[in-house]
Amino acid sequence: MPAHVLILGGTAEARSLAADLAARPGIRVTTSLAGRVARPGAVAGEVRIGGFGGAQGLADWLRTHHVDALVDATHPFAETITANAARAAAATGVPAVVLRRPGWRPVPGDRWYDVPSLAGAAEVLPGLGRRVFLSTGRLGLAAFAHLADLHFLVRSVDPPEPPLPPDTEPVLARGPFTVADETRLLRAHRIDVLVTKDSGGEATAAKLTAARELGLPVVVVRRPPLPRDVAAVPDTAGVLRRLGLGPA
Protein backbone atom coordinates (compact mmCIF):
# COMPACT_ATOMS: atom_id res chain seq x y z
CA MET A 1 0.00 0.00 0.00
CA PRO A 2 1.49 3.39 -0.95
CA ALA A 3 2.15 5.69 2.02
CA HIS A 4 2.22 8.97 0.04
CA VAL A 5 0.27 9.50 -3.19
CA LEU A 6 0.67 12.63 -5.29
CA ILE A 7 -2.32 13.45 -7.49
CA LEU A 8 -1.91 15.92 -10.31
CA GLY A 9 -5.44 17.22 -10.13
CA GLY A 10 -7.95 19.77 -11.25
CA THR A 11 -10.67 17.38 -12.45
CA ALA A 12 -13.72 15.95 -10.72
CA GLU A 13 -12.09 12.52 -10.88
CA ALA A 14 -9.03 13.86 -9.06
CA ARG A 15 -11.19 15.23 -6.24
CA SER A 16 -13.07 11.94 -5.97
CA LEU A 17 -9.84 9.95 -5.81
CA ALA A 18 -8.35 12.31 -3.20
CA ALA A 19 -11.44 11.92 -1.01
CA ASP A 20 -11.23 8.12 -1.25
CA LEU A 21 -7.52 7.98 -0.42
CA ALA A 22 -7.67 10.58 2.36
CA ALA A 23 -10.28 8.50 4.17
CA ARG A 24 -7.96 5.47 4.32
CA PRO A 25 -5.74 5.10 7.40
CA GLY A 26 -2.04 5.14 6.66
CA ILE A 27 -2.24 6.96 3.32
CA ARG A 28 -1.06 10.53 2.88
CA VAL A 29 -2.51 12.16 -0.22
CA THR A 30 -1.36 15.42 -1.78
CA THR A 31 -3.20 17.01 -4.69
CA SER A 32 -1.31 19.47 -6.88
CA LEU A 33 -3.32 22.14 -8.68
CA ALA A 34 -1.90 24.29 -11.45
CA GLY A 35 -3.41 27.45 -9.99
CA ARG A 36 -5.19 28.54 -13.17
CA VAL A 37 -8.56 28.81 -11.41
CA ALA A 38 -8.91 31.54 -8.79
CA ARG A 39 -11.31 29.59 -6.55
CA PRO A 40 -10.83 25.84 -7.03
CA GLY A 41 -13.29 23.41 -5.48
CA ALA A 42 -12.57 21.82 -2.11
CA VAL A 43 -10.12 18.90 -2.14
CA ALA A 44 -9.57 16.32 0.60
CA GLY A 45 -6.08 15.83 1.99
CA GLU A 46 -3.13 18.14 1.41
CA VAL A 47 -3.13 20.62 -1.46
CA ARG A 48 -0.29 22.44 -3.21
CA ILE A 49 -0.74 25.17 -5.80
CA GLY A 50 1.50 25.96 -8.76
CA GLY A 51 3.87 24.24 -11.15
CA PHE A 52 6.93 22.16 -10.37
CA GLY A 53 9.35 23.63 -12.88
CA GLY A 54 9.11 20.96 -15.55
CA ALA A 55 9.87 17.26 -15.42
CA GLN A 56 13.09 17.74 -13.41
CA GLY A 57 11.33 19.88 -10.83
CA LEU A 58 8.60 17.29 -10.44
CA ALA A 59 11.17 14.51 -10.11
CA ASP A 60 12.92 16.48 -7.36
CA TRP A 61 9.58 16.98 -5.56
CA LEU A 62 8.80 13.26 -5.74
CA ARG A 63 12.14 12.43 -4.13
CA THR A 64 12.08 15.19 -1.51
CA HIS A 65 8.56 14.40 -0.36
CA HIS A 66 9.00 10.61 -0.49
CA VAL A 67 6.16 9.99 -2.92
CA ASP A 68 5.32 6.32 -3.41
CA ALA A 69 2.82 6.68 -6.28
CA LEU A 70 1.98 9.38 -8.82
CA VAL A 71 -1.50 9.78 -10.34
CA ASP A 72 -1.91 12.07 -13.32
CA ALA A 73 -5.58 13.05 -13.14
CA THR A 74 -5.23 16.32 -15.03
CA HIS A 75 -7.49 17.55 -17.81
CA PRO A 76 -7.25 15.47 -21.01
CA PHE A 77 -5.80 18.52 -22.80
CA ALA A 78 -3.02 19.19 -20.24
CA GLU A 79 -0.49 17.50 -22.50
CA THR A 80 2.61 19.30 -21.17
CA ILE A 81 1.88 18.25 -17.59
CA THR A 82 1.22 14.67 -18.68
CA ALA A 83 4.49 14.51 -20.60
CA ASN A 84 6.43 15.94 -17.63
CA ALA A 85 4.78 13.47 -15.26
CA ALA A 86 5.77 10.54 -17.45
CA ARG A 87 9.39 11.72 -17.59
CA ALA A 88 9.54 12.39 -13.85
CA ALA A 89 8.13 8.95 -13.02
CA ALA A 90 10.66 7.29 -15.34
CA ALA A 91 13.53 9.27 -13.81
CA THR A 92 12.62 8.42 -10.21
CA GLY A 93 11.14 4.96 -10.55
CA VAL A 94 7.94 6.11 -8.85
CA PRO A 95 4.97 4.04 -10.07
CA ALA A 96 2.60 6.22 -12.09
CA VAL A 97 -0.87 5.89 -13.52
CA VAL A 98 -2.83 8.23 -15.79
CA LEU A 99 -6.54 8.70 -15.07
CA ARG A 100 -8.48 9.84 -18.15
CA ARG A 101 -12.26 9.80 -18.37
CA PRO A 102 -13.45 8.34 -21.70
CA GLY A 103 -14.00 10.79 -24.51
CA TRP A 104 -17.42 11.59 -25.92
CA ARG A 105 -18.85 9.67 -28.85
CA PRO A 106 -21.47 10.97 -31.30
CA VAL A 107 -24.93 9.42 -31.32
CA PRO A 108 -27.65 9.53 -33.98
CA GLY A 109 -28.79 13.10 -34.50
CA ASP A 110 -25.44 14.70 -33.71
CA ARG A 111 -23.89 17.06 -36.27
CA TRP A 112 -20.25 16.91 -35.22
CA TYR A 113 -17.26 18.40 -37.00
CA ASP A 114 -14.08 16.74 -35.77
CA VAL A 115 -10.98 18.99 -35.76
CA PRO A 116 -7.43 18.48 -34.46
CA SER A 117 -6.96 21.82 -32.68
CA LEU A 118 -8.46 25.17 -31.72
CA ALA A 119 -6.94 26.59 -34.89
CA GLY A 120 -8.75 23.90 -36.85
CA ALA A 121 -11.99 24.89 -35.14
CA ALA A 122 -11.45 28.51 -36.14
CA GLU A 123 -11.03 27.45 -39.78
CA VAL A 124 -14.41 25.73 -40.05
CA LEU A 125 -16.50 28.18 -38.01
CA PRO A 126 -17.25 30.80 -40.69
CA GLY A 127 -19.10 28.21 -42.75
CA LEU A 128 -21.25 27.00 -39.85
CA GLY A 129 -22.80 30.11 -38.34
CA ARG A 130 -22.23 33.60 -37.03
CA ARG A 131 -23.16 33.23 -33.33
CA VAL A 132 -20.76 30.84 -31.59
CA PHE A 133 -20.91 29.31 -28.13
CA LEU A 134 -17.22 28.81 -27.35
CA SER A 135 -17.04 26.31 -24.49
CA THR A 136 -13.31 25.57 -24.51
CA GLY A 137 -12.23 27.40 -21.34
CA ARG A 138 -10.59 30.79 -20.91
CA LEU A 139 -7.20 29.89 -22.42
CA GLY A 140 -6.35 29.54 -26.09
CA LEU A 141 -8.89 32.07 -27.32
CA ALA A 142 -6.21 33.74 -29.43
CA ALA A 143 -6.94 31.08 -32.06
CA PHE A 144 -10.26 32.85 -32.71
CA ALA A 145 -9.12 36.47 -32.30
CA HIS A 146 -9.00 37.11 -36.06
CA LEU A 147 -12.66 36.18 -36.60
CA ALA A 148 -14.06 39.71 -36.43
CA ASP A 149 -17.30 38.85 -38.21
CA LEU A 150 -18.45 36.29 -35.62
CA HIS A 151 -20.07 36.79 -32.22
CA PHE A 152 -18.56 34.60 -29.47
CA LEU A 153 -20.27 33.63 -26.23
CA VAL A 154 -17.36 32.47 -24.05
CA ARG A 155 -18.07 30.52 -20.86
CA SER A 156 -15.39 29.93 -18.23
CA VAL A 157 -14.96 29.84 -14.46
CA ASP A 158 -12.67 32.89 -14.44
CA PRO A 159 -12.60 35.82 -16.90
CA PRO A 160 -11.13 34.87 -20.30
CA GLU A 161 -7.60 35.98 -21.09
CA PRO A 162 -6.77 38.17 -24.12
CA PRO A 163 -6.23 38.28 -26.99
CA LEU A 164 -9.95 37.72 -27.64
CA PRO A 165 -12.18 37.99 -30.70
CA PRO A 166 -13.46 41.58 -31.09
CA ASP A 167 -17.09 40.55 -30.50
CA THR A 168 -16.83 38.49 -27.30
CA GLU A 169 -19.47 38.11 -24.61
CA PRO A 170 -18.12 36.36 -21.48
CA VAL A 171 -20.27 34.23 -19.19
CA LEU A 172 -18.71 33.21 -15.86
CA ALA A 173 -20.12 29.94 -14.55
CA ARG A 174 -19.02 26.65 -13.04
CA GLY A 175 -20.64 23.34 -14.00
CA PRO A 176 -22.18 20.88 -13.89
CA PHE A 177 -25.01 22.12 -16.09
CA THR A 178 -28.30 20.42 -16.94
CA VAL A 179 -29.72 19.95 -20.41
CA ALA A 180 -32.41 22.50 -19.50
CA ASP A 181 -29.69 24.99 -18.45
CA GLU A 182 -27.83 24.56 -21.70
CA THR A 183 -30.94 24.70 -23.84
CA ARG A 184 -31.97 28.00 -22.25
CA LEU A 185 -28.48 29.41 -22.79
CA LEU A 186 -28.34 28.40 -26.45
CA ARG A 187 -31.78 29.80 -27.15
CA ALA A 188 -31.33 33.02 -25.17
CA HIS A 189 -28.15 33.87 -27.06
CA ARG A 190 -29.44 32.62 -30.44
CA ILE A 191 -26.43 30.36 -30.86
CA ASP A 192 -25.75 28.89 -34.32
CA VAL A 193 -22.82 26.59 -33.52
CA LEU A 194 -21.10 25.12 -30.45
CA VAL A 195 -17.32 24.64 -30.08
CA THR A 196 -16.01 22.29 -27.40
CA LYS A 197 -12.97 20.24 -26.53
CA ASP A 198 -13.49 16.49 -26.13
CA SER A 199 -13.19 16.68 -22.35
CA GLY A 200 -15.46 13.68 -21.76
CA GLY A 201 -17.42 13.07 -18.58
CA GLU A 202 -20.92 14.01 -17.49
CA ALA A 203 -20.27 17.43 -15.92
CA THR A 204 -20.22 19.27 -19.25
CA ALA A 205 -21.94 16.78 -21.57
CA ALA A 206 -25.39 18.38 -21.29
CA LYS A 207 -24.45 21.00 -23.88
CA LEU A 208 -24.03 18.24 -26.46
CA THR A 209 -27.53 16.93 -25.78
CA ALA A 210 -28.96 20.45 -25.96
CA ALA A 211 -27.21 21.12 -29.27
CA ARG A 212 -28.48 17.81 -30.67
CA GLU A 213 -32.06 18.56 -29.66
CA LEU A 214 -31.83 22.03 -31.22
CA GLY A 215 -30.23 20.69 -34.39
CA LEU A 216 -27.04 22.75 -33.95
CA PRO A 217 -23.64 21.79 -35.38
CA VAL A 218 -20.89 21.04 -32.85
CA VAL A 219 -17.19 21.51 -33.55
CA VAL A 220 -15.29 19.00 -31.39
CA VAL A 221 -11.55 19.44 -30.80
CA ARG A 222 -9.81 16.08 -30.54
CA ARG A 223 -7.70 15.20 -27.50
CA PRO A 224 -3.91 15.25 -27.83
CA PRO A 225 -2.37 11.77 -27.77
CA LEU A 226 -0.78 10.39 -24.63
CA PRO A 227 3.02 10.14 -24.55
CA ARG A 228 4.53 6.99 -26.03
CA ASP A 229 4.31 3.95 -23.75
CA VAL A 230 1.83 5.72 -21.43
CA ALA A 231 -1.54 4.01 -20.94
CA ALA A 232 -4.55 5.37 -19.12
CA VAL A 233 -7.30 3.95 -16.93
CA PRO A 234 -10.83 5.36 -17.32
CA ASP A 235 -11.96 5.75 -13.71
CA THR A 236 -10.94 5.95 -10.07
CA ALA A 237 -11.62 2.23 -9.57
CA GLY A 238 -8.93 1.51 -12.15
CA VAL A 239 -6.47 3.74 -10.31
CA LEU A 240 -7.19 2.01 -7.00
CA ARG A 241 -6.53 -1.38 -8.59
CA ARG A 242 -3.23 -0.11 -9.99
CA LEU A 243 -2.31 1.11 -6.51
CA GLY A 244 -3.12 -2.28 -5.03
CA LEU A 245 -6.17 -0.98 -3.20
CA GLY A 246 -9.74 -2.23 -3.15
CA PRO A 247 -12.96 -0.30 -2.57
CA ALA A 248 -13.00 1.73 0.64
Side-chain angles (χ1 to χ4, degrees), residues 154-169:
V154 176
R155 183 170 68 193
S156 58
V157 175
D158 293 321
E161 295 187 357
L164 306 173
D167 188 0
T168 295
E169 180 181 358

Side-chain angles (χ1 to χ4, degrees), residues 91-246:
T92 59
V94 172
V97 56
V98 176
L99 170 57
R100 286 290 183 274
R101 66 181 83 118
W104 292 316
R105 294 292 180 266
V107 301
D110 282 329
R111 297 172 56 198
W112 284 15
Y113 293 80
D114 184 67
V115 296
S117 63
L118 292 176
E123 288 182 11
V124 302
L125 274 180
L128 296 176
R130 184 184 177 280
R131 299 183 65 82
V132 182
F133 178 26
L134 194 56
S135 179
T136 57
R138 67 189 180 95
L139 304 176
L141 303 184
F144 305 92
H146 64 288
L147 297 175
D149 294 333
L150 304 185
H151 172 81
F152 288 90
L153 180 70
V154 176
R155 183 170 68 193
S156 58
V157 175
D158 293 321
E161 295 187 357
L164 306 173
D167 188 0
T168 295
E169 180 181 358
V171 174
L172 303 184
R174 188 194 298 269
F177 306 99
T178 67
V179 174
D181 293 333
E182 301 292 53
T183 301
R184 281 193 296 269
L185 183 75
L186 295 173
R187 283 178 170 162
H189 293 272
R190 296 177 288 114
I191 296 300
D192 299 316
V193 55
L194 164 67
V195 181
T196 184
K197 294 177 177 178
D198 180 17
S199 300
E202 295 298 323
T204 56
K207 62 193 172 188
L208 302 175
T209 302
R212 182 189 317 124
E213 293 178 352
L214 294 174
L216 300 181
V218 180
V219 180
V220 181
V221 181
R222 290 195 300 268
R223 295 179 175 188
L226 289 170
R228 183 186 304 178
D229 299 327
V230 172
V233 297
D235 51 32
T236 57
V239 173
L240 294 174
R241 287 193 295 270
R242 291 281 292 271
L243 296 179
L245 301 171

Side-chain angles (χ1 to χ4, degrees), residues 24-108:
R24 297 173 185 251
I27 296 183
R28 175 188 174 194
V29 57
T30 303
T31 298
S32 176
L33 303 175
R36 292 178 176 173
V37 177
R39 297 183 303 277
V43 181
E46 301 174 33
V47 177
R48 70 173 300 279
I49 305 291
F52 292 93
Q56 184 59 56
L58 176 54
D60 292 342
W61 202 95
L62 296 176
R63 296 187 185 99
T64 300
H65 294 268
H66 307 289
V67 172
D68 301 293
L70 171 64
V71 180
D72 174 6
T74 55
H75 192 277
F77 284 79
E79 54 186 318
T80 299
I81 299 174
T82 293
N84 286 341
R87 289 196 289 268
T92 59
V94 172
V97 56
V98 176
L99 170 57
R100 286 290 183 274
R101 66 181 83 118
W104 292 316
R105 294 292 180 266
V107 301

